[in-house]
Amino acid sequence: ENAQEEEPAAVAVVLVATTSHHHSGAIDTLLCVSTTTTPPTVTPASAHRSIDIPRYQPLTDGGVCSLLTALYGDGQHYPAPAATSSQFQTLLEQAQLVCCGSFMNTPFDVPGAPTNTQYWLASGEAVTALSELRLPESIQNKWQWLSVADILQGFYAHQWHVHPHLVFVLQSYVAALHTYPHPQDALADLSQQLMRRSNRSDSKPLVGVQIPLEYAPHMFLIPFKSTTIPPFTHTNTVIVQSAQTCLLVDPGANSIASPIFRDTLETLIPSSSELQVFLTHHHNDHVEALPIIASLFPSATVYAHSKTLERIASTSLKTIAIDPGHKFIITDCKSGEYSANIELEVVAGDGHTDGHLFLFEPLSRTLVAGDHIVGYGSVSLDPMCGDMAQYFATTHAMISLKPRLAFPAHGPPSYEPLQLLNQYLSHRTQRENEILAAIDQGAGNVEEILSMVYPGLDSRLRRPATSNILLHLRKLSAERRLKINL
């Protein structure tokens, strides 16, 4: 930002970089600029030392390479070419970038290391040098310098997705600016906050979540350890709240995660809040924490399809059966200085189970998809009450909504839900064709189809694979596409 005041402005730049690559499609690396009219009297390093932050460190060569890859977004792995990397290294050295700290979020059910977010500080003349960084012509129209206010305003106006770690850091930074006159001091305070959270350890292996993250405006997603089906280990609980009302989706925390689930509710939700609990379906990994809710919020109300309410264990909470078309409206939701009314419509989501429901928020075009979508791979259908034909119908219905973001019940959110849903259709259609081909080649029963469609299958996977074949056969039979009776 170019300061308009006559006095030279002291400028702090927050460079946020993340090692996670599971949030494709979101802004996750940006230089964010804010200004103050009073020049700082300390250097970045001494500012951090004065507030006793021992973990600042210079940007390493590896950091330069990862930042180049993120900034240029061309899929190349740097250093390449060497001249570009060297030029950028020199620029960063001149900027005297200092690492203010980092925080690590509880991992989703994704192979690899937890997401580690770092943020860096530059000030004074370094800002001018950084802002004059020449970008490759191929991305000049795709990449731009944005201020903190620009990023947050665009996010809450639904102009773009922003990496939730960045939303959290920038919101915390803006809040710190209300207390500290200089950006450097605000960043130092923020760094202390994040390190305190990062150092928190509730159990080993890590259980629950350390920082609730805002993936869509005013919609927070928190993974809790649950009794779910491998390879997943957590269920994502979604929270949308105002000062008076809170909507909580799928409280699936198990006994191991119950202490942090209880602590999270006590911390985030005022005891006077009107708590509405929405269940996508009846499976235990989506409802197991209902007794904790009943103990903390005895006046809470549970909303779900009638079939779901019939199948869950009895609860002391009030229950209301709802159908597609029901709307949850949470008025005056606030995130920092931004507020909005959030309306989520209930949509039929049969397939994984009958009576499965999901939510759709039209402004951000966000699906709260329950078990119809998973963070990776594809979901298994319930062998007792699942239906493959309905699964196809629900997938088409989700596509018709043209979502931009999807919250699965397990695994990381998807910023490319249309691509994911079309992949589901392609995968299931391919499996049907393989089953039909096996029958054409002489398979006369489920065991023979299994051996031909899943050759060399691990014995531990035979049961779910058999269930999947049976669900496909029921659909094919109803469509009169089977040439034999099985």
Side-chain angles (χ1 to χ4, degrees), residues 181-470:
H182 301 312
Q184 289 89 342
D185 295 336
L187 281 168
D189 177 72
L190 170 60
S191 188
Q192 282 191 326
Q193 293 181 46
L194 295 184
M195 277 191 274
R196 283 196 296 269
R197 291 178 183 243
S198 182
N199 291 335
R200 173 179 173 180
S201 178
D202 298 279
S203 67
K204 294 182 180 181
L206 196 60
V207 173
V209 69
Q210 295 173 348
I211 301 174
L213 293 177
E214 189 174 6
Y215 281 83
H218 315 292
M219 298 179 68
F220 293 82
L221 187 151
I222 311 174
F224 291 101
K225 184 79 173 177
S226 66
T227 312
T228 190
I229 299 174
F232 300 107
T233 59
H234 292 66
T235 295
N236 296 328
T237 295
V238 177
I239 293 179
V240 182
Q241 69 180 128
S242 66
Q244 295 78 32
T245 307
C246 177
L247 174 66
L248 186 148
V249 181
D250 283 350
N254 64 13
S255 59
I256 298 174
S258 60
I260 194 168
F261 181 79
R262 177 181 291 273
D263 177 67
T264 298
L265 264 58
E266 291 177 329
T267 301
L268 294 182
I269 306 175
S271 58
S272 60
S273 181
E274 177 194 352
L275 180 58
Q276 303 174 359
V277 181
F278 173 72
L279 308 178
T280 58
H281 61 294
H282 67 279
H283 287 160
N284 196 47
D285 58 332
H286 294 254
V287 305
E288 190 170 350
L290 279 176
I292 296 176
I293 293 176
S295 68
L296 295 176
F297 300 91
S299 61
T301 302
V302 177
Y303 297 81
H305 193 280
S306 59
K307 292 181 179 179
T308 296
L309 295 177
E310 290 169 2
R311 291 167 177 155
I312 65 174
S314 61
T315 174
S316 60
L317 296 171
K318 178 182 179 181
T319 60
I320 296 179
I322 57 174
D323 295 312
H326 180 93
K327 292 183 179 180
F328 293 98
I329 301 175
I330 315 298
T331 59
D332 198 26
C333 298
K334 292 185 181 295
S335 296
E337 300 174 357
Y338 301 88
S339 63
N341 298 334
I342 301 298
E343 179 179 297
L344 297 108
E345 182 174 358
V346 176
V347 186
D350 300 275
H352 176 67
T353 66
D354 56 349
H356 190 291
L357 300 171
F358 67 91
L359 300 175
F360 182 66
E361 197 286 303
L363 293 179
S364 62
R365 310 203 70 79
T366 298
L367 295 172
V368 182
D371 270 355
H372 193 85
I373 290 177
V374 287
Y376 61 94
S378 59
V379 72
S380 298
L381 276 58
D382 190 308
M384 301 301 294
C385 60
D387 187 289
M388 190 63 69
Q390 292 179 333
Y391 174 89
F392 271 79
T394 294
T395 305
H396 284 293
M398 285 185 169
I399 291 173
S400 70
L401 294 172
K402 299 181 180 179
R404 294 174 43 195
L405 177 62
F407 292 172
H410 311 285
S414 171
Y415 288 99
E416 296 177 333
L418 286 174
Q419 178 180 338
L420 184 63
L421 290 165
N422 279 295
Q423 287 174 350
Y424 287 170
L425 292 176
S426 176
H427 170 71
R428 299 287 183 176
T429 300
Q430 178 183 351
R431 184 68 71 214
E432 282 192 353
N433 291 336
E434 292 170 349
I435 291 171
L436 291 172
I439 294 173
D440 288 341
Q441 295 171 25
N445 55 52
V446 174
E447 283 296 320
E448 292 175 354
I449 294 174
L450 180 69
S451 63
M452 296 176 71
V453 173
Y454 295 97
L457 182 68
D458 188 317
S459 60
R460 293 171 295 182
L461 301 177
R462 288 182 62 85
R463 185 174 179 179
T466 300
S467 173
N468 189 50
I469 288 175
L470 288 171

Side-chain angles (χ1 to χ4, degrees), residues 12-14 40-58 96-102 119-123 173 182-193 195:
V13 179
V14 190
T41 57
V42 291
T43 64
S46 62
H48 287 277
R49 277 198 292 269
S50 68
I51 309 182
D52 190 28
I53 296 189
R55 287 165 49 175
Y56 72 88
Q57 56 186 331
Q96 298 179 345
L97 280 182
V98 174
C99 180
C100 306
S102 65
Y119 47 102
W120 308 81
L121 173 66
S123 65
Y173 173 61
H182 301 312
Q184 289 89 342
D185 295 336
L187 281 168
D189 177 72
L190 170 60
S191 188
Q192 282 191 326
Q193 293 181 46
M195 277 191 274

